[in-house]
Amino acid sequence: MLIPVHATLAQQPFVTDDADATEQGTLHFEFSNEFDVLPVSAFPNLRQNTASFELAFGLFENVEVSVEAPLITVFNARGTTPRGVFGLGAQVGVSVDFRGARQRERNKED
């Protein structure tokens, strides 16, 4: 018996990250890149590339400060002016890991 096989399209799995705060006094660097083919409804925009740079510093135990800079590039169809555009963004954040602190306290009691 033959089983028909069909090709399918899907997006990559969502990225997950460790929720722990960066260790105190430590620098943490992350880079990610995502390339997307845009839907027909976005025409004349065809493709988009997002490169994201993040630098985090453990300020205190369970507290980190971070700076993220995404660079987004959009590629347009032929005959479109401009053919491609890009932009750089910036985001500053503070993260507090309350859950990690509670779990470590429980472990100390045991």
Side-chain angles (χ1 to χ4, degrees):
M1 176 175 157
L2 293 174
I3 299 173
V5 177
H6 300 281
T8 59
L9 299 174
Q11 75 178 41
Q12 68 185 23
F14 292 104
V15 177
T16 59
D17 193 9
D18 185 356
D20 288 342
T22 302
E23 191 175 318
Q24 183 176 359
T26 303
L27 275 175
H28 175 82
F29 176 75
E30 264 184 54
F31 171 78
S32 63
N33 192 68
E34 181 178 330
F35 185 81
D36 296 304
V37 176
L38 299 175
V40 175
S41 61
F43 189 83
N45 310 123
L46 301 176
R47 295 175 303 281
Q48 176 177 308
N49 189 72
T50 305
S52 187
F53 306 85
E54 183 177 356
L55 186 63
F57 178 73
L59 193 58
F60 306 110
E61 185 175 348
N62 302 318
V63 178
E64 75 176 24
V65 293
S66 61
V67 176
E68 184 177 359
L71 174 63
I72 300 175
T73 307
V74 177
F75 304 94
N76 296 321
R78 278 192 190 139
T80 305
T81 304
R83 184 72 194 274
V85 294
F86 68 93
L88 182 65
Q91 179 177 325
V92 178
V94 176
S95 297
V96 179
D97 181 10
F98 295 108
R99 187 175 177 160
R102 278 192 228 123
Q103 185 62 40
R104 282 189 283 281
E105 287 301 317
R106 281 191 207 123
N107 291 342
K108 286 180 186 177
E109 292 172 3
D110 292 342

